[in-house]
């Protein structure tokens, strides 16, 4: 009977060791992944806020341009208004794209940063 108890204890010790190994493995993987998930959610919120603000600013530009067009009395002035509108849109979209790329790069760098960095 003592042999059976010894085998059960050894089996239990092996099971405990296996469970501990699994727990250690989960901690090694899930810890950084949890932090990365938090970082990702925060970054996605920041990106969403940035895009929303950009869209609001662009809509204001649209309204200003429409106002200028409605009060325009000269075809040359209309052409100038359109040209300025297009150039400003190109400049703003280019700047915003750069800003979003930079924000994304910062997120990627922080999401995959190791504790030793």
């Amino acid at each position: 009977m003592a042999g059976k108890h010894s085998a059960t204890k050894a089996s239990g010790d092996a099971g405990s060791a296996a469970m501990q190994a699994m727990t250690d493995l989960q901690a090694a993987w899930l810890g950084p992944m949890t932090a990365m998930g938090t970082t990702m959610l925060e970054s996605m919120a920041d990106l969403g806020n940035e895009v929303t603000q950009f869209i609001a600013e662009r809509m204001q530009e649209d309204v200003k341009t429409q106002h200028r067009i409605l009060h325009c009395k000269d075809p040359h002035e209309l052409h100038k208004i359109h040209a300025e509108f297009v150039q400003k849109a190109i400049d703003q979209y280019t700047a915003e794209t750069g800003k979003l790329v930079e924000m994304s790069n910062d997120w990627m760098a922080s999401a995959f940063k190791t504790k030793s960095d």
Side-chain angles (χ1 to χ4, degrees), residues 8-9 25 29-30 32 34-35 38 48 51-52 69 72 79 83 94 96 103 106 108 112-114:
T8 304
K9 183 174 181 343
L25 184 61
W29 278 92
L30 292 179
T34 301
T38 302
V51 169
T52 301
I69 289 171
C72 175
H79 178 73
T94 301
E96 186 66 17
M103 289 174 74
D106 290 347
M108 292 296 283
F112 293 105
K113 188 175 185 180
T114 62

Side-chain angles (χ1 to χ4, degrees), residues 24-41:
D24 293 345
L25 184 61
Q26 282 180 327
W29 278 92
L30 292 179
M33 289 180 73
T34 301
M36 186 172 84
T38 302
T39 301
M40 184 177 76
L41 289 174

Side-chain angles (χ1 to χ4, degrees), residues 32-90:
M33 289 180 73
T34 301
M36 186 172 84
T38 302
T39 301
M40 184 177 76
L41 289 174
E42 290 171 352
S43 296
M44 294 304 284
D46 291 344
L47 286 168
N49 289 337
E50 180 62 35
V51 169
T52 301
Q53 183 173 342
F54 176 75
I55 291 169
E57 290 170 4
R58 285 297 312 146
M59 288 176 72
Q60 288 175 347
E61 288 299 321
D62 291 351
V63 170
K64 285 181 196 175
T65 300
Q66 291 299 320
H67 180 76
R68 288 179 65 199
I69 289 171
L70 288 171
H71 291 89
C72 175
K73 295 187 180 8
D74 179 336
H76 295 291
E77 184 183 355
L78 178 62
H79 178 73
K80 181 181 174 196
I81 292 168
H82 278 138
E84 288 171 353
F85 173 79
V86 169
Q87 186 60 55
K88 188 164 189 174
I90 290 169

Side-chain angles (χ1 to χ4, degrees), residues 9-22:
K9 183 174 181 343
S11 174
D13 289 345
S16 293
M19 287 301 292
Q20 186 59 49
M22 288 297 287

